[in-house]
Amino acid sequence: MSHTEPHPQPEEPQESGAAAGSGDSSQPPPGDDTAFFGQPKGLMTLSGLEVWERFSFLGMQAILVLYFAATVADGGMGMDAGNAASLGAAYGTLVYLVSVAGGWLADRILGSYRAVLYGGILIACGHYAMAVPADVFTWVGLGLISAGTGLLKPNVANMVGKLYSTADERRDAGFALYYMGINIGAFLGPLVTGWLADHKGWHWGFSAAAIGMTFGLIQYVAGRRHLAGRKNRAEFALPPHKMRRTVRAIVVGLIVVAAVCTLLALAGWLTMSRFVDVLTLISVIAPVVYFAVMFASPRVTREEKGRLRPYIVLFLASVAFNFILFQAYSTMMLLASTNTETHILGFDFPVSWYASALGAFEVLLAPVVAALWVRMGTRQPHASNKIAIGVILGGLSFLLMVLPTSGHTGDTYKMAAWWIVGSYLLLGLGDILLQTSGMSATTKLAPKAFASQTMALWFLSLALANGIQAQTVKLYGQVSNPAYFGVNGAVAVAAGLAVIAAAPWLKRTMHPVH
């Protein structure tokens, strides 16, 4: 990724994206590369990968909590609603915690291209494991998907950033198109997996996710020549002798952790509930430590540290929004399964298809938002205000649910499908505003020596959101639905208003973000 003032790396000369050599497509393409809807052609390859990755990931996630909560007689795991939602959130926490390691591995050992490739292979293997109808393969599959997504997600987004120079005004629009690709997968995945789970069985749905990720890998390898920053080694690679020691330490460490966890589980200490609590604790500690490391690093210039301070505000805004967003696949799915009609205009559909509504709205709205930013040019709202509006819309999506869930004496009522659809419309628009602006700002605010890792830090905000959610969703079903959705929504709206109040300071300190 280019910066306005490149930061030299004395111990690794000639390895930064701005200075790398010829023939490896390491520099952003010229501004006249408009082969993909006015954007660089490499955006098509990366967006295509994300279509299939999100198809598999969100297709599986749309049925995962329902699978946990379904009775054993129905092929599920028989958990109560709160614990099923908590475990689903814990899985999300693990996925995004691993993204920190994924960013580091890309920067120091693998390089972005190989990190994404290996991550995709692990994800595919994980989904194939979940296709096997045995509980042990469910847990093995979730572990492989977590590891693979941690390698893939932060590095794909960073590769998108490398397609543009920092001053390229197409950047936000490019991220909007990239995010539209993500949401094509988010729309199609639950349609396919939900139908299969409903008509054939849960593990048939997991099989569809496996096939989808396989298609994504084929598409990624076929289009690799269009990618900027494609190298055979990392941009800031460790020296060979240190790399060998590091790889050995990683392998040994993973074996030790797996052995200790197995022993604690066999001894009865490491229960599922304690595992969730540990993940929540790590999700809180990790971003604090990571910000401290970057502020203390001699590789980070004083100017770059100045840009990290406002980034903390954007990080917390992302936490507030994603705390709401990920419940679209947990508490909202559970609410839809018990208290919402599953037919519109006379057509009956699986409960998990509600998740497709979120993807559909984002597919439809993303190009509108992208065109609006291009049309407004330099007059468009500051990135911090786009993010703040996104957070507010997320909060409103939950506040809307207070209306149809209020005034009922029992739990046997059924609300119209349009309430969930309307909530997802607000949530989808908020997601486009926040994620596209947030990812774009991250690639610009990132210290040069932590490029992939700072994008991983953005995804670490998703880990923290899931970690907090893993505890709070336990209240679902224990308190009234109006109270649950009302308090969650109000907190998000307050967070968005706080970011708007901080806008003058953010505008001064976030240069070159505008």
Side-chain angles (χ1 to χ4, degrees), residues 121-132:
I121 292 171
L122 286 175
I123 292 169
C125 290
H127 285 300
Y128 281 114
M130 291 189 71
V132 179

Side-chain angles (χ1 to χ4, degrees), residues 245-260:
R245 288 202 308 268
T246 301
V247 171
R248 283 196 297 268
I250 290 171
V251 172
V252 171
L254 289 174
I255 293 172
V256 169
V257 169
V260 169

